[in-house]
Amino acid sequence: MFIDTHIHLDEFKDLEEVLDRARGVGVDGFICVGYDVQSSKFSYSLSIQYNDIYAILGIHPHSASEVTNEFLNWICNVKDNRKILGIGEIGLDYYRNLSPKEIQLEAFEKQLSLAQELKLPVSLHIRDGYKDAFNILKKYKVNGVFHCYSGGLHFLEEALSLDFFIGFDGPVTFHNARELIEVVRRCPLDRILLETDAPYLAPEPYRGRRNEPAYLIYIAEKIAEIKGIDLEELSKITIENTKICFPRYAT
Ligand code: NI
């Protein structure tokens, strides 16, 4: 049994088949993450409709200008639903810079402060902005996960010292993933979360094609191999980690 802790189910027109294929290989929990207003509302509605789908609500740095009071108020209105596990994906993306930096920073802080107020964990999307992210995170009492961690060995200690979990995705299976494999090696087992980020970032042997939650198994196999443990043990540990990172998952 595995939980896909980061997936964008709004991107699948064949959702039922995709979910069934995943359940068929033992992926039986899905944390559907919003990235703008529309996808957040869709994640929320899926979490109501399906027992095994949970929601994380928030605005990605690419869409930072969508962080309005209206949106934040909507989250406050639905926050008591236990299927809402956290706020995300939020963060900084200085790699693609699709929103101006000042707007990204403002959107990030507004959503962090909401997470702190609601006592909900965050799912972070950080690309090339780790220094700024750490400086900002130190101002807030929040926990969560560095989704699709890309800070390399350089930022790993600091990410762990903030008590965050580290999310690993398809790239750990890529042939050129030498540094990321070293990151997995050095990341304590009790801080690892498994995610696909589907439909993006398909693992080998599907690299370059549409990703789906059933492929979480390839990521799990690679991490179990790097850590020298069997899949069953990795399953047990990562389910426990998911419940610690997202306490509402456990209830
Ligand atoms: Ni994502």
Side-chain angles (χ1 to χ4, degrees):
M1 276 165 36
F2 288 100
I3 303 164
D4 188 347
T5 62
H6 190 114
I7 179 170
H8 302 289
L9 292 172
D10 58 302
E11 308 269 354
F12 294 95
K13 288 205 173 79
D14 51 345
L15 183 60
E16 292 301 332
E17 290 89 338
V18 165
L19 292 173
D20 281 343
R21 271 198 293 276
R23 293 174 185 128
V25 296
V27 178
D28 53 7
F30 308 91
I31 302 183
C32 183
V33 184
Y35 50 88
D36 60 11
V37 173
Q38 205 186 345
S39 59
S40 291
K41 294 198 168 173
F42 188 76
S43 296
Y44 176 63
S45 68
L46 284 183
S47 74
I48 292 171
Q49 226 179 312
Y50 293 84
N51 271 336
D52 52 2
I53 299 180
Y54 299 78
I56 290 183
L57 313 175
I59 308 286
H60 190 286
H62 290 345
S63 304
S65 63
E66 290 193 30
V67 178
T68 59
N69 287 337
E70 190 192 350
F71 177 72
L72 300 175
N73 286 337
W74 170 71
I75 293 183
C76 290
N77 286 335
V78 296
K79 69 171 188 338
D80 290 331
N81 187 311
R82 306 288 296 176
K83 297 293 285 296
I84 297 172
L85 302 184
I87 303 296
E89 57 183 283
I90 62 173
L92 301 171
D93 194 320
Y94 298 163
Y95 178 72
R96 294 186 64 197
N97 261 320
L98 295 186
S99 305
K101 198 169 169 176
E102 309 72 60
I103 311 229
Q104 289 193 40
L105 289 164
E106 196 188 331
F108 187 33
E109 293 222 32
K110 276 189 179 165
Q111 295 182 97
L112 281 174
S113 107
L114 179 70
Q116 175 177 277
E117 185 191 323
L118 303 182
K119 297 189 172 58
L120 287 172
V122 293
S123 181
L124 299 180
H125 171 107
I126 311 292
R127 277 198 83 185
D128 288 0
Y130 279 85
K131 264 208 177 122
D132 282 3
F134 289 138
N135 285 333
I136 293 168
L137 286 168
K138 282 172 190 147
K139 298 195 280 177
Y140 296 90
K141 267 194 186 155
V142 291
N143 286 112
V145 55
F146 282 93
H147 148 60
C148 198
Y149 176 72
S150 62
L153 291 169
H154 189 69
F155 289 113
L156 181 64
E157 285 311 314
E158 201 161 358
L160 291 170
S161 75
L162 286 172
D163 272 343
F164 269 67
F165 286 81
I166 309 293
F168 294 104
D169 305 58
V172 295
T173 68
F174 295 173
H175 297 303
N176 55 356
R178 216 174 285 167
E179 186 178 8
L180 193 52
I181 286 170
E182 193 53 36
V183 169
V184 175
R185 212 167 265 143
R186 295 205 202 169
C187 182
L189 264 172
D190 63 4
R191 295 296 193 85
I192 290 178
L193 287 189
L194 303 178
E195 19 176 82
T196 59
D197 205 18
Y200 312 105
L201 293 175
E204 294 290 356
Y206 298 103
R207 185 176 184 178
R209 289 193 250 166
R210 183 183 79 163
N211 195 5
E212 52 175 83
Y215 302 166
L216 190 69
I217 299 305
Y218 297 97
I219 298 163
E221 278 171 353
K222 185 68 190 185
I223 288 179
E225 177 200 317
I226 297 168
K227 288 300 204 184
I229 59 174
D230 58 32
L231 273 180
E232 209 172 306
E233 192 179 350
L234 184 69
S235 152
K236 224 185 281 169
I237 294 167
T238 52
I239 289 174
E240 190 53 31
N241 292 349
T242 304
K243 291 176 179 172
I244 296 169
C245 183
F246 301 111
R248 283 182 172 184
Y249 195 95
T251 59

